[in-house]
Amino acid sequence: MVLMVDGEVLATTGQGFLANLEDWNEKAAICLAEANHIRLTDAHWELIWFMRNYYQQYKHLPNARVFAKAIAKTLGEDKGNSRYLLKLFPDGPLKYTCKLAGLPKPPTCL
């Protein structure tokens, strides 16, 4: 699968994750969201930026439980719970946050 961003072709994996982390920018996130039928809101962007910062700091991706706990610690309990996260990303909060953030697929996600 390929992704077109401003006339440039970006390679993706078979599951639609960017093949190269360096290809990510906000326009790529918007195109990835559109390809996954997600309309980005400020709440989505907050999680995308959170995950990019987390990955940059820790050099790994969390599992779903650690993801929710880290969000609760950083952004507040009201955002670090499964109801809130599933409202934003019903098909998998961790998976789609990572995908839209241009990060690899988390090893714990199917």
Side-chain angles (χ1 to χ4, degrees):
M1 180 179 157
V2 294
L3 184 71
M4 281 293 257
V5 179
D6 285 341
E8 186 178 337
V9 176
L10 303 182
T12 60
T13 67
Q15 291 188 328
F17 288 79
L18 286 181
N20 301 305
L21 298 175
E22 301 81 29
D23 287 343
W24 188 88
N25 60 37
E26 289 184 15
K27 288 182 181 182
I30 292 167
C31 291
L32 286 164
E34 289 171 356
N36 288 277
H37 312 290
I38 298 169
R39 195 180 119 261
L40 293 176
T41 65
D42 289 343
H44 290 96
W45 282 110
E46 184 175 43
L47 292 180
I48 290 167
W49 285 111
F50 170 85
M51 184 52 66
R52 287 190 60 81
N53 291 332
Y54 183 98
Y55 188 75
Q56 184 178 24
Q57 181 177 356
Y58 297 107
K59 309 294 186 230
H60 72 87
L61 297 170
N63 64 32
R65 187 172 151 204
V66 172
F67 174 62
K69 282 187 171 192
I71 290 170
K73 182 178 178 182
T74 305
L75 303 176
E77 292 288 332
D78 56 325
K79 295 179 181 178
N81 66 70
S82 59
R83 271 178 290 188
Y84 177 80
L85 296 172
L86 285 168
K87 187 166 46 167
L88 294 173
F89 297 108
D91 295 328
L94 177 59
K95 178 180 179 180
Y96 284 92
T97 300
C98 288
K99 183 182 278 191
L100 300 184
L103 301 173
K105 178 182 161 198
T108 58
C109 291
L110 299 176

